[in-house]
Short mmCIF file of all heavy atoms in Angstrom, two decimals:
data_model
loop_
_atom_site.label_atom_id
_atom_site.label_comp_id
_atom_site.label_asym_id
_atom_site.label_seq_id
_atom_site.Cartn_x
_atom_site.Cartn_y
_atom_site.Cartn_z
N SER A 1 -13.48 13.02 -2.06
CA SER A 1 -13.25 11.92 -1.11
C SER A 1 -12.55 10.74 -1.78
O SER A 1 -11.66 10.11 -1.20
CB SER A 1 -14.57 11.45 -0.50
OG SER A 1 -15.47 11.03 -1.50
N LEU A 2 -12.92 10.44 -3.03
CA LEU A 2 -12.28 9.35 -3.76
C LEU A 2 -10.85 9.73 -4.13
O LEU A 2 -9.94 8.91 -4.05
CB LEU A 2 -13.09 8.99 -5.00
CG LEU A 2 -12.51 7.89 -5.91
CD1 LEU A 2 -12.29 6.60 -5.12
CD2 LEU A 2 -13.46 7.63 -7.09
N ASN A 3 -10.66 10.97 -4.52
CA ASN A 3 -9.32 11.44 -4.87
C ASN A 3 -8.39 11.33 -3.67
O ASN A 3 -7.23 10.88 -3.79
CB ASN A 3 -9.39 12.89 -5.36
CG ASN A 3 -8.07 13.38 -5.89
OD1 ASN A 3 -7.55 12.84 -6.87
ND2 ASN A 3 -7.50 14.39 -5.27
N ALA A 4 -8.87 11.74 -2.49
CA ALA A 4 -8.06 11.66 -1.27
C ALA A 4 -7.74 10.21 -0.93
O ALA A 4 -6.63 9.88 -0.50
CB ALA A 4 -8.80 12.32 -0.11
N LEU A 5 -8.72 9.33 -1.14
CA LEU A 5 -8.51 7.92 -0.85
C LEU A 5 -7.46 7.32 -1.78
O LEU A 5 -6.62 6.52 -1.35
CB LEU A 5 -9.83 7.16 -0.99
CG LEU A 5 -10.03 5.92 -0.11
CD1 LEU A 5 -10.05 6.31 1.36
CD2 LEU A 5 -11.32 5.21 -0.48
N CYS A 6 -7.50 7.68 -3.05
CA CYS A 6 -6.52 7.19 -4.02
C CYS A 6 -5.11 7.67 -3.64
O CYS A 6 -4.15 6.89 -3.71
CB CYS A 6 -6.88 7.68 -5.42
SG CYS A 6 -8.33 6.88 -6.16
N ASP A 7 -4.99 8.92 -3.26
CA ASP A 7 -3.68 9.45 -2.84
C ASP A 7 -3.17 8.70 -1.61
O ASP A 7 -1.99 8.35 -1.53
CB ASP A 7 -3.80 10.95 -2.52
CG ASP A 7 -3.92 11.82 -3.77
OD1 ASP A 7 -3.45 11.38 -4.84
OD2 ASP A 7 -4.49 12.92 -3.68
N ASN A 8 -4.06 8.46 -0.65
CA ASN A 8 -3.69 7.75 0.57
C ASN A 8 -3.26 6.32 0.27
O ASN A 8 -2.30 5.80 0.86
CB ASN A 8 -4.86 7.77 1.54
CG ASN A 8 -4.57 7.12 2.88
OD1 ASN A 8 -5.31 6.27 3.34
ND2 ASN A 8 -3.48 7.52 3.52
N PHE A 9 -3.95 5.69 -0.65
CA PHE A 9 -3.64 4.31 -1.05
C PHE A 9 -2.22 4.22 -1.63
O PHE A 9 -1.45 3.33 -1.24
CB PHE A 9 -4.67 3.84 -2.06
CG PHE A 9 -4.36 2.50 -2.70
CD1 PHE A 9 -4.50 1.33 -1.97
CD2 PHE A 9 -3.95 2.43 -4.01
CE1 PHE A 9 -4.23 0.09 -2.56
CE2 PHE A 9 -3.67 1.21 -4.61
CZ PHE A 9 -3.81 0.03 -3.88
N ILE A 10 -1.90 5.12 -2.53
CA ILE A 10 -0.57 5.10 -3.14
C ILE A 10 0.51 5.40 -2.11
O ILE A 10 1.56 4.75 -2.07
CB ILE A 10 -0.49 6.10 -4.31
CG1 ILE A 10 -1.41 5.67 -5.45
CG2 ILE A 10 0.94 6.25 -4.80
CD1 ILE A 10 -1.06 4.31 -6.06
N GLU A 11 0.25 6.36 -1.23
CA GLU A 11 1.22 6.68 -0.18
C GLU A 11 1.43 5.47 0.73
O GLU A 11 2.58 5.13 1.08
CB GLU A 11 0.74 7.87 0.64
CG GLU A 11 1.72 8.26 1.76
CD GLU A 11 1.23 9.43 2.61
OE1 GLU A 11 0.12 9.93 2.36
OE2 GLU A 11 1.97 9.83 3.53
N ASN A 12 0.35 4.81 1.12
CA ASN A 12 0.47 3.64 1.97
C ASN A 12 1.23 2.51 1.28
O ASN A 12 2.08 1.85 1.89
CB ASN A 12 -0.92 3.15 2.40
CG ASN A 12 -1.53 4.01 3.48
OD1 ASN A 12 -0.84 4.70 4.21
ND2 ASN A 12 -2.86 3.97 3.59
N ARG A 13 0.91 2.26 0.02
CA ARG A 13 1.61 1.21 -0.72
C ARG A 13 3.10 1.47 -0.77
O ARG A 13 3.92 0.57 -0.53
CB ARG A 13 1.04 1.12 -2.14
CG ARG A 13 1.66 0.01 -2.98
CD ARG A 13 1.55 0.29 -4.46
NE ARG A 13 2.28 1.49 -4.85
CZ ARG A 13 2.40 1.91 -6.11
NH1 ARG A 13 1.82 1.23 -7.09
NH2 ARG A 13 3.07 3.00 -6.40
N ASP A 14 3.49 2.72 -1.08
CA ASP A 14 4.90 3.06 -1.22
C ASP A 14 5.63 2.99 0.12
O ASP A 14 6.79 2.57 0.19
CB ASP A 14 5.05 4.44 -1.84
CG ASP A 14 4.60 4.48 -3.31
OD1 ASP A 14 4.43 3.40 -3.88
OD2 ASP A 14 4.41 5.59 -3.84
N ARG A 15 4.94 3.37 1.19
CA ARG A 15 5.57 3.29 2.52
C ARG A 15 5.83 1.84 2.90
O ARG A 15 6.90 1.50 3.42
CB ARG A 15 4.67 3.96 3.57
CG ARG A 15 4.66 5.47 3.52
CD ARG A 15 4.00 6.05 4.77
NE ARG A 15 3.99 7.50 4.76
CZ ARG A 15 3.85 8.25 5.85
NH1 ARG A 15 3.70 7.66 7.04
NH2 ARG A 15 3.83 9.55 5.77
N ILE A 16 4.85 1.00 2.66
CA ILE A 16 5.00 -0.42 3.02
C ILE A 16 6.10 -1.06 2.18
O ILE A 16 6.93 -1.82 2.69
CB ILE A 16 3.67 -1.16 2.84
CG1 ILE A 16 2.62 -0.62 3.81
CG2 ILE A 16 3.86 -2.67 3.08
CD1 ILE A 16 1.22 -1.15 3.56
N ARG A 17 6.13 -0.73 0.91
CA ARG A 17 7.15 -1.32 0.04
C ARG A 17 8.55 -0.87 0.44
O ARG A 17 9.51 -1.66 0.40
CB ARG A 17 6.87 -0.93 -1.42
CG ARG A 17 7.83 -1.59 -2.42
CD ARG A 17 7.27 -1.56 -3.82
NE ARG A 17 6.84 -0.24 -4.23
CZ ARG A 17 6.14 0.00 -5.33
NH1 ARG A 17 5.78 -1.01 -6.10
NH2 ARG A 17 5.79 1.22 -5.65
N SER A 18 8.68 0.39 0.88
CA SER A 18 10.00 0.88 1.29
C SER A 18 10.42 0.28 2.64
O SER A 18 11.61 0.07 2.89
CB SER A 18 9.99 2.41 1.40
OG SER A 18 9.13 2.85 2.43
N GLY A 19 9.44 -0.03 3.50
CA GLY A 19 9.76 -0.57 4.82
C GLY A 19 9.91 -2.07 4.85
O GLY A 19 10.57 -2.63 5.73
N PHE A 20 9.28 -2.75 3.87
CA PHE A 20 9.31 -4.21 3.82
C PHE A 20 9.59 -4.66 2.39
O PHE A 20 8.68 -4.96 1.62
CB PHE A 20 7.98 -4.80 4.31
CG PHE A 20 7.68 -4.53 5.76
CD1 PHE A 20 7.05 -3.35 6.14
CD2 PHE A 20 8.04 -5.44 6.74
CE1 PHE A 20 6.78 -3.09 7.47
CE2 PHE A 20 7.78 -5.19 8.07
CZ PHE A 20 7.15 -4.01 8.45
N GLY A 21 10.84 -4.66 2.02
CA GLY A 21 11.23 -5.04 0.67
C GLY A 21 11.20 -6.55 0.48
O GLY A 21 11.01 -7.32 1.42
N TRP A 22 11.32 -6.97 -0.79
CA TRP A 22 11.44 -8.37 -1.16
C TRP A 22 10.16 -9.18 -0.94
O TRP A 22 10.19 -10.39 -0.80
CB TRP A 22 12.60 -9.04 -0.41
CG TRP A 22 13.91 -8.33 -0.59
CD1 TRP A 22 14.55 -7.56 0.33
CD2 TRP A 22 14.69 -8.27 -1.77
NE1 TRP A 22 15.71 -7.03 -0.19
CE2 TRP A 22 15.82 -7.47 -1.49
CE3 TRP A 22 14.58 -8.83 -3.06
CZ2 TRP A 22 16.81 -7.20 -2.43
CZ3 TRP A 22 15.57 -8.58 -3.99
CH2 TRP A 22 16.67 -7.77 -3.68
N GLU A 23 9.04 -8.50 -0.90
CA GLU A 23 7.76 -9.21 -0.87
C GLU A 23 7.23 -9.33 -2.30
O GLU A 23 7.67 -8.61 -3.20
CB GLU A 23 6.74 -8.45 -0.01
CG GLU A 23 7.09 -8.37 1.47
CD GLU A 23 6.80 -9.65 2.21
OE1 GLU A 23 6.16 -10.55 1.62
OE2 GLU A 23 7.20 -9.75 3.38
N TYR A 24 6.26 -10.22 -2.50
CA TYR A 24 5.60 -10.29 -3.79
C TYR A 24 4.89 -8.97 -4.06
O TYR A 24 4.24 -8.42 -3.17
CB TYR A 24 4.60 -11.44 -3.83
CG TYR A 24 5.23 -12.80 -3.96
CD1 TYR A 24 5.42 -13.59 -2.83
CD2 TYR A 24 5.66 -13.29 -5.19
CE1 TYR A 24 6.02 -14.85 -2.93
CE2 TYR A 24 6.25 -14.53 -5.31
CZ TYR A 24 6.43 -15.30 -4.17
OH TYR A 24 7.02 -16.54 -4.28
N SER A 25 5.00 -8.47 -5.27
CA SER A 25 4.49 -7.13 -5.58
C SER A 25 2.99 -7.00 -5.34
O SER A 25 2.51 -5.92 -4.98
CB SER A 25 4.80 -6.77 -7.04
OG SER A 25 4.20 -7.69 -7.93
N TYR A 26 2.23 -8.10 -5.52
CA TYR A 26 0.77 -7.99 -5.37
C TYR A 26 0.34 -7.92 -3.91
O TYR A 26 -0.83 -7.65 -3.62
CB TYR A 26 0.07 -9.16 -6.06
CG TYR A 26 0.63 -10.53 -5.78
CD1 TYR A 26 0.51 -11.12 -4.53
CD2 TYR A 26 1.31 -11.23 -6.79
CE1 TYR A 26 1.02 -12.36 -4.27
CE2 TYR A 26 1.83 -12.49 -6.53
CZ TYR A 26 1.69 -13.05 -5.28
OH TYR A 26 2.22 -14.30 -5.03
N ILE A 27 1.25 -8.15 -2.97
CA ILE A 27 0.89 -8.07 -1.56
C ILE A 27 0.80 -6.62 -1.09
O ILE A 27 -0.03 -6.27 -0.26
CB ILE A 27 1.91 -8.85 -0.69
CG1 ILE A 27 1.66 -10.35 -0.86
CG2 ILE A 27 1.81 -8.48 0.78
CD1 ILE A 27 2.56 -11.24 -0.02
N TYR A 28 1.65 -5.74 -1.64
CA TYR A 28 1.68 -4.35 -1.18
C TYR A 28 0.34 -3.62 -1.33
O TYR A 28 -0.11 -2.95 -0.40
CB TYR A 28 2.79 -3.58 -1.90
CG TYR A 28 4.18 -4.11 -1.61
CD1 TYR A 28 5.00 -4.56 -2.64
CD2 TYR A 28 4.67 -4.17 -0.32
CE1 TYR A 28 6.28 -5.06 -2.38
CE2 TYR A 28 5.94 -4.66 -0.04
CZ TYR A 28 6.74 -5.11 -1.08
OH TYR A 28 7.99 -5.60 -0.82
N PRO A 29 -0.33 -3.72 -2.48
CA PRO A 29 -1.64 -3.04 -2.59
C PRO A 29 -2.68 -3.59 -1.62
O PRO A 29 -3.51 -2.83 -1.12
CB PRO A 29 -2.04 -3.30 -4.06
CG PRO A 29 -0.77 -3.59 -4.77
CD PRO A 29 0.09 -4.30 -3.77
N VAL A 30 -2.65 -4.90 -1.37
CA VAL A 30 -3.60 -5.49 -0.42
C VAL A 30 -3.39 -4.91 0.97
O VAL A 30 -4.33 -4.50 1.66
CB VAL A 30 -3.47 -7.03 -0.38
CG1 VAL A 30 -4.39 -7.62 0.68
CG2 VAL A 30 -3.79 -7.63 -1.74
N CYS A 31 -2.11 -4.84 1.39
CA CYS A 31 -1.80 -4.28 2.70
C CYS A 31 -2.15 -2.80 2.77
O CYS A 31 -2.67 -2.31 3.78
CB CYS A 31 -0.31 -4.49 3.02
SG CYS A 31 0.15 -6.23 3.19
N ALA A 32 -1.86 -2.09 1.69
CA ALA A 32 -2.18 -0.66 1.65
C ALA A 32 -3.68 -0.43 1.81
O ALA A 32 -4.12 0.49 2.51
CB ALA A 32 -1.70 -0.05 0.33
N ALA A 33 -4.48 -1.29 1.18
CA ALA A 33 -5.95 -1.14 1.26
C ALA A 33 -6.47 -1.36 2.67
O ALA A 33 -7.46 -0.76 3.07
CB ALA A 33 -6.61 -2.13 0.29
N ILE A 34 -5.78 -2.21 3.45
CA ILE A 34 -6.20 -2.45 4.83
C ILE A 34 -6.18 -1.14 5.62
O ILE A 34 -7.10 -0.83 6.38
CB ILE A 34 -5.29 -3.50 5.49
CG1 ILE A 34 -5.56 -4.89 4.86
CG2 ILE A 34 -5.50 -3.56 7.01
CD1 ILE A 34 -4.54 -5.95 5.23
N PHE A 35 -5.11 -0.35 5.43
CA PHE A 35 -5.00 0.93 6.12
C PHE A 35 -5.90 1.99 5.48
O PHE A 35 -6.56 2.78 6.17
CB PHE A 35 -3.55 1.42 6.10
CG PHE A 35 -2.61 0.57 6.90
CD1 PHE A 35 -1.86 -0.42 6.30
CD2 PHE A 35 -2.49 0.76 8.27
CE1 PHE A 35 -1.00 -1.21 7.05
CE2 PHE A 35 -1.63 -0.02 9.03
CZ PHE A 35 -0.87 -1.02 8.41
N THR A 36 -5.93 2.00 4.16
CA THR A 36 -6.70 3.03 3.44
C THR A 36 -8.18 2.94 3.76
O THR A 36 -8.85 3.97 3.95
CB THR A 36 -6.47 2.89 1.93
OG1 THR A 36 -5.07 3.02 1.64
CG2 THR A 36 -7.23 3.96 1.16
N ASN A 37 -8.73 1.73 3.86
CA ASN A 37 -10.15 1.57 4.16
C ASN A 37 -10.50 2.01 5.57
O ASN A 37 -11.66 2.26 5.88
CB ASN A 37 -10.58 0.12 3.94
CG ASN A 37 -10.76 -0.21 2.48
OD1 ASN A 37 -11.17 0.64 1.70
ND2 ASN A 37 -10.45 -1.43 2.10
N LYS A 38 -9.48 2.12 6.42
CA LYS A 38 -9.70 2.65 7.77
C LYS A 38 -9.30 4.13 7.86
O LYS A 38 -9.26 4.69 8.95
CB LYS A 38 -8.89 1.83 8.78
CG LYS A 38 -9.49 0.47 9.08
CD LYS A 38 -8.86 -0.14 10.32
CE LYS A 38 -9.61 -1.37 10.76
NZ LYS A 38 -9.09 -1.92 12.04
#
């Protein structure tokens, strides 16, 4: 379950970064966690 969550987190982070460029780098993991925790 933790392994799946980690994979989902990285996928979410990369999707957000590709769709919304030029943001501060530390914002992407926070946004990714919002989706991953759900």
Side-chain angles (χ1 to χ4, degrees):
S1 59
L2 178 56
N3 187 62
L5 210 64
C6 289
D7 286 334
N8 183 231
F9 172 73
I10 293 299
E11 181 182 1
N12 284 337
R13 183 204 62 176
D14 292 346
R15 286 192 179 200
I16 296 171
R17 184 162 51 190
S18 66
F20 295 86
W22 306 106
E23 295 283 350
Y24 285 98
S25 60
Y26 47 69
I27 286 182
Y28 297 121
V30 176
C31 295
I34 290 169
F35 293 97
T36 302
N37 282 327
K38 285 194 170 185

